[in-house]
Amino acid sequence: MDILTLGNELLRQKSRPVKKIDDHYKPLAEEMLEMLHRQKGVGLAGPQIGVPERIFVVHIQNDEPLVFINPSIIETSEEKSSYEEGCLSVPGVWADLIRPARVKVQAWNEKGRPFTIDADGILARVIQHEYDHLEGVLFIDHLSNAKKERLLTKYEKLSANKQENQ
Ligand code: NI
């Protein structure tokens, strides 16, 4: 499995709900977490590895890894916060984004058990970023046109350099 990057159409598709959380999802979640660790990321969503299903994993340092299947964000705080975001699918660039500071999320884990989380701080941020992936949305879509363009120019330069050095 490879992580798909910007320009791949699969990243722009809305993912489908998981119909039944069967035995297949435990190894999938494990594989996604392994990939996340290898890439030193904090979150990874199904569509990023070409699996167009509503699943993402989150692992924030010193916390337990979390698997979210068919998640719903059921509450968002009025209060907003600013965090610098990046994405394994848009490697090498980061931008400050304003989003709700806290979210309440309902989901199922890889064993089919339902759970609800009240998240704040970085966890709330990562959950919102990963949830976006299930909707075909990338963090750069939240930027103003001017900022998005600047970021994409930088990204394209980085990609061109990488290819030259290969
Ligand atoms: Ni991402």
Side-chain angles (χ1 to χ4, degrees):
M1 283 199 294
D2 276 328
I3 294 184
L4 308 181
T5 53
L6 189 65
N8 192 304
E9 273 176 36
L10 289 176
L11 289 172
R12 293 312 198 169
Q13 282 177 16
K14 195 171 160 152
S15 293
R16 60 173 179 266
V18 172
K19 280 206 188 109
K20 186 173 181 285
I21 303 171
D22 57 24
D23 293 347
H24 159 81
Y25 288 92
K26 250 170 105 174
L28 175 64
E30 263 166 43
E31 202 165 344
M32 287 173 75
L33 281 164
E34 265 171 40
M35 194 170 251
L36 183 65
H37 297 149
R38 269 203 302 277
Q39 303 290 331
K40 300 186 172 34
V42 285
L44 185 70
Q48 290 183 278
I49 52 164
V51 175
E53 297 186 52
R54 302 187 81 81
I55 176 169
F56 63 74
V57 297
V58 173
H59 195 186
I60 291 159
Q61 230 183 352
N62 303 325
D63 287 347
E64 290 289 309
L66 295 167
V67 179
F68 295 79
I69 297 175
N70 293 343
S72 332
I73 296 181
I74 51 180
E75 271 176 49
T76 53
S77 64
E78 293 276 319
E79 191 196 328
K80 312 273 189 208
S81 68
S82 178
Y83 260 106
E84 192 174 57
E85 282 186 40
C87 181
L88 294 173
S89 293
V90 197
V93 292
W94 289 267
D96 284 321
L97 279 196
I98 293 169
R99 293 189 195 250
R102 294 179 304 280
V103 291
K104 187 173 190 166
V105 188
Q106 201 270 315
W108 284 262
N109 69 13
E110 74 282 14
K111 294 167 200 139
R113 223 169 278 150
F115 64 95
T116 304
I117 286 187
D118 279 301
D120 61 7
I122 179 107
L123 179 59
R125 178 53 60 121
V126 178
I127 287 171
Q128 291 174 82
H129 176 113
E130 298 312 322
Y131 186 88
D132 271 356
H133 275 300
L134 306 183
E135 297 293 308
V137 173
L138 298 174
F139 81 102
I140 54 173
D141 302 339
H142 292 282
L143 298 170
S144 67
N145 283 342
K147 274 193 191 157
K148 186 174 180 178
E149 219 157 279
R150 244 181 287 146
L151 203 84
L152 288 180
T153 305
K154 192 176 165 194
Y155 176 74
E156 274 152 26
K157 258 189 218 159
L158 279 172
S159 311
N161 284 344
K162 238 186 260 164
Q163 273 173 356
E164 254 174 47
N165 293 335
Q166 260 169 13

